Amino acid sequence: MHFKLIIVFVEDDKTDLVLDTSREYGATGATVINNARGEGLKTSKTFLGLTLETQRDVLLLLVEEHLSRTILEAISKAAEFDSKPGIGIAFQIDVEDAIGVMRQVEKLTPIVEEEL
């Protein structure tokens, strides 16, 4: 079984929405890294030398490759990434090898066989 890593940078108020959506579409878990900071095309506003930014989280989802595109699109739609700038971004990268995922493989095998 082959995997992809979906990496999501999202405003913290949308983290639970992204997690719920990814599970609904086949993700078996995620790692959440809190307190991330990012900058887009425009620099952040400041007030008395303090930067005014919304809190961001980074989500790492190791998903089966046949489910990855569907999960990625569902996350984008649910979190409304394309509706206005600065909401978040998500992308996927290939994973050459993974260990410690045998329980996920057991759960995903029937689902992937159904898809194929």
Side-chain angles (χ1 to χ4, degrees), residues 3 6 19 21-22 24 29 34 38 50 54 56 82 93-94 98 101 103 111:
F3 292 93
I6 296 177
L19 290 172
T21 301
S22 64
E24 182 181 330
N34 296 314
L50 300 173
T54 58
R56 300 226 178 267
D82 292 326
I93 58 175
D94 290 326
V101 293
R103 291 188 192 255
I111 295 168

Side-chain angles (χ1 to χ4, degrees), residues 44 48 84 102-103:
S44 302
L48 298 175
K84 68 176 187 174
M102 284 309 300
R103 291 188 192 255

Side-chain angles (χ1 to χ4, degrees), residues 28-101:
T28 56
T31 298
V32 179
I33 303 170
N34 296 314
N35 301 328
R37 191 182 129 217
E39 258 187 45
L41 291 173
K42 297 180 181 177
T43 57
S44 302
K45 296 178 183 175
T46 60
F47 178 73
L48 298 175
L50 300 173
T51 304
L52 303 175
E53 300 176 331
T54 58
Q55 188 69 31
R56 300 226 178 267
D57 291 336
V58 179
L59 287 68
L60 306 173
L61 300 106
L62 188 65
V63 300
E64 204 285 325
E65 71 176 340
H66 293 95
L67 304 174
S68 65
R69 184 64 193 185
T70 304
I71 295 169
L72 189 66
E73 290 174 359
I75 289 169
S76 178
K77 184 176 180 182
E80 302 175 297
F81 283 174
D82 292 326
S83 67
K84 68 176 187 174
I87 297 287
I89 62 169
F91 56 92
Q92 64 181 355
I93 58 175
D94 290 326
V95 174
E96 187 173 323
D97 206 359
I99 57 173
V101 293

